[in-house]
Amino acid sequence: MRGRTARAAWILATGASALTLLAATGAHAEGRGDIRVTAAVVNGGNNVIIGTTKRVTYPIAITIRDNSGVKGLSRVDVFNKTNGWGYSDWVNTRCEKKSSTTSVCTATMVIDPGWLPDSVPEDVNHTAGVWEASANVKANDGDYWIADHIAEFKMKRASQLTTDAAPEPVAKGARLTITGKLSRANWEDLKYHGFTGQDVKLQYRKAGAAHYSTVKTVKTGEAGHLSTKVTATSAGSWRWYFPGTTTTARIVSTGDAVKLK
């Protein structure tokens, strides 16, 4: 594993143990005895969202069953389903006994966007998308099982979204211009770049109302910029909402409250 470089974008790194970068092989499940993985959940069922600076941890909770009882995990792997890039490393593995035959073992995975393994593809942004988890599990009586594809999850690039409404205040019936910008994390240079060609919803909440409603959908232009005009009929707040993609996180901007003159 190389050190930090100016170009460095992404590494999956955990604690003091060595990271191993992997290329996925065909799915298989093999081992010895009656031990099996019966369920697995990654990050509580939520997406794993990675920005440009903060280290992110996420759990993989694996339910394991064996007649002799569960001893624990010997390995956990995660892979991008499209290109096969992934890693095997974790910290803070713990098992919670649910019965004499069943335990839930949780491996805490860690991602640091500030490091880059030698073997990652040239554009590490291509590692965003649908991932799968695999695990090697072991029982008290020596049984073991290598279980592939125990769960799927999405690893996404973090996003940012702004909103500005002008003029403020505005006369009733006058035209109001709503602008903003959608950007997403680039793991190559650890900066946020405008995300062009994306459908973003403009939403409005009348003053005193509990919820926002969608007014129209606008596509981001050059450098992720947004701009549209609406007619001001009452005081209220405007915001942009981006539902996300397979590789980029959903985000809602902070609302901009506009008063009438």
Side-chain angles (χ1 to χ4, degrees), residues 55-69:
R55 176 175 288 193
V56 175
T57 63
Y58 65 95
I60 302 181
I62 304 168
T63 304
I64 310 165
R65 185 183 184 282
D66 184 86
N67 287 343
S68 70

Side-chain angles (χ1 to χ4, degrees), residues 195-259:
F195 195 11
T196 62
Q198 302 303 306
D199 287 336
V200 182
K201 299 179 186 298
L202 177 65
Q203 298 184 328
Y204 175 70
R205 183 182 66 191
K206 187 176 180 179
H211 304 289
Y212 281 87
S213 58
T214 298
V215 175
K216 62 171 72 175
T217 299
V218 179
K219 194 175 291 292
T220 56
E222 184 179 359
H225 289 292
L226 291 156
S227 182
T228 191
K229 292 184 182 295
V230 295
T231 299
T233 58
S234 60
S237 296
W238 297 89
R239 73 180 187 185
W240 293 104
Y241 164 67
F242 174 59
T245 67
T246 301
T247 61
T248 305
R250 165 190 176 277
I251 192 168
V252 182
S253 73
T254 301
D256 188 6
V258 178
K259 296 180 180 180

Side-chain angles (χ1 to χ4, degrees), residues 28-100:
H28 68 282
E30 60 185 63
R32 181 182 68 195
D34 62 340
I35 187 170
R36 294 293 186 274
V37 171
T38 61
V41 178
V42 179
N43 200 33
N46 300 310
N47 298 323
V48 177
I49 299 171
I50 314 301
T52 59
T53 58
K54 293 183 179 179
R55 176 175 288 193
V56 175
T57 63
Y58 65 95
I60 302 181
I62 304 168
T63 304
I64 310 165
R65 185 183 184 282
D66 184 86
N67 287 343
S68 70
V70 175
K71 187 173 182 180
L73 302 169
S74 58
R75 178 171 177 150
V76 178
D77 301 335
V78 288
F79 291 102
N80 179 288
K81 290 193 66 178
T82 300
N83 52 43
W85 294 99
Y87 68 105
S88 175
D89 205 14
W90 63 92
V91 294
N92 300 329
T93 300
R94 58 181 176 82
C95 290
E96 182 180 353
K97 187 175 180 179
K98 297 297 184 179
S99 71
S100 61

